[in-house]
Amino acid sequence: MANLSVFVFVFVGVLILTCLQIIEAQLIGVCYGINGNNLPLPIDVVDLYKANGITKMRPYDPIPEMLIALKGSNIEIVLDIPNDKLQALNDPKEATNWVIVNVMNYFSQVKFKYINVGNEVSPINVATSQFAPFLLSAMTNVQQAITKFKLQNQVKVTTAIETGLLANTYPPSQSVFRDDVSSFINSIIAFLKQNNSPLLANIYPYFAYIGDPDHVALPYALFTQQEPDPSGYYNLFDAMLDSIYYATEKAGGDNVEIVVSESGWPSDGGVGASIDNAATYYRNLIRHVKSGAKTIHKPGNAINAYLFAMFDENEKPGAETEKHFGVFHPDKTQKYNLTF
């Protein structure tokens, strides 16, 4: 009987450990944009996530139909507050109302992980500079509302940056935030550190490659390079991620985690954009993250990454490549036969 008890104890222990490993392995999410006139209904999108074992979603617009469809789905979400809402949320009452309408009304049945206040807001980018004066105040007011409802330990308030805020990015250890954004980003990092929140970062080796193809080799960008570069990195993704870690630490953000809130490769529309390159990038990124790979600078940190994006979006503004980042076609068929 004693031997049986030992066996049961060991079996249960192994089972618990296996379950924890499965939970910890869910490090890949997929962003969900709706800039298309041919996309599935939100309820069908949620079913597609579930059918493909995708347990993390980053929706850019908190539309009621999507939040309703997510009820009971067990899909963890990063809920974005669009840039054009930031000025209104400088009013604490408006921020509280936003949290009530978009979080509290669904909280019992929807798994909220992060509230992402603004996407790629930058005082030096003409496309988003008008939102920069409102970002920190909006984050603060949303945080106060989250705290008011006693959710501060469950839902973290953050923002997503793009790598254009950095300078001296190679080697990654020399990376810093640009002087002309230091006051802007330093206050945000201080906010994140105070509230034990991560910094979200949109990381695109594709844009680094097309911006400097003479110095950025395609295999380095696609995770297929066999030898390390002079700074020890085998791929550009890890180097870019570490450059953000180094810059964040120098800005006072010791122990602030970086979550990769977007990363992808277009299948059409521009230089280096092809089905083959995109398939290679997505497969290798998923494999890299799921393998438990760590970066040189952060050997103790698991990489969390969200693929951009769920669907090709035929009404997405900007360069033609912006319309071709989907890992699924709008008819819900896979482009690359990925295993999430």
Side-chain angles (χ1 to χ4, degrees), residues 325-340:
F325 275 90
V327 296
F328 285 85
H329 297 290
D331 65 2
K332 299 185 289 185
T333 58
Q334 274 225 36
K335 286 170 73 174
Y336 311 116
N337 294 318
L338 303 176
T339 301
F340 301 93

Side-chain angles (χ1 to χ4, degrees), residues 20-21 30 33 36 45-46 55 102 107 110 123 129 150 152 240 249 258-259 267 289 293 295 298 306 325:
L20 287 173
Q21 289 172 337
V30 183
V45 173
V46 170
T55 60
N102 296 291
F107 189 78
V110 176
S129 59
K150 303 186 187 308
Q152 68 273 17
M240 294 176 75
E249 289 167 1
I258 310 297
V259 172
S267 59
V289 172
T295 65
K298 290 292 182 178
Y306 289 77
F325 275 90

Side-chain angles (χ1 to χ4, degrees), residues 45-85:
V45 173
V46 170
D47 286 342
L48 189 61
Y49 271 73
K50 292 191 288 188
N52 285 274
I54 307 170
T55 60
K56 296 166 65 173
M57 174 194 288
R58 181 190 174 191
Y60 293 94
D61 297 279
I63 57 173
E65 294 85 355
M66 179 270 299
L67 291 168
I68 291 170
L70 282 164
K71 286 185 174 181
S73 68
N74 211 36
I75 294 172
E76 177 185 278
I77 68 167
V78 179
L79 188 61
D80 272 39
I81 298 178
N83 292 342
D84 60 7
K85 303 295 184 186

Side-chain angles (χ1 to χ4, degrees), residues 24 27 35 46 48 53 56 122 127 134 139 145 159 169 176 187-188 234 259 273 300 323:
E24 291 174 353
L27 303 174
N35 286 310
V46 170
L48 189 61
K56 296 166 65 173
S122 167
F134 310 115
M139 293 174 69
T159 192
T169 54
V176 293
S187 58
I188 289 171
Y234 283 84
V259 172
K323 298 176 173 63

Side-chain angles (χ1 to χ4, degrees), residues 27-30 56 237 259-261 263 285 289 303-307:
L27 303 174
I28 287 287
V30 183
K56 296 166 65 173
F237 177 90
V259 172
V260 181
S261 45
S263 193
L285 175 58
V289 172
I303 299 171
N304 287 267
Y306 289 77
L307 308 184

Side-chain angles (χ1 to χ4, degrees), residues 104-179:
M104 296 307 299
N105 284 352
Y106 304 94
F107 189 78
S108 63
Q109 293 180 276
V110 176
K111 294 178 65 175
F112 294 91
K113 179 70 170 179
Y114 306 123
I115 304 299
N116 182 54
V117 185
N119 185 48
E120 296 188 345
V121 174
S122 167
I124 57 172
N125 184 336
V126 66
T128 62
S129 59
Q130 68 268 36
F131 307 117
F134 310 115
L135 179 59
L136 182 61
S137 181
M139 293 174 69
T140 300
N141 290 338
V142 172
Q143 179 68 55
Q144 289 175 347
I146 290 293
T147 302
K148 175 182 177 181
F149 295 115
K150 303 186 187 308
L151 302 181
Q152 68 273 17
N153 294 325
Q154 298 163 269
V155 183
K156 295 299 182 179
V157 178
T158 181
T159 192
I161 64 167
E162 47 93 16
T163 51
L165 298 180
L166 301 174
N168 306 326
T169 54
Y170 191 84
S173 60
Q174 299 303 306
S175 180
V176 293
F177 286 108
R178 293 171 46 136
D179 288 341

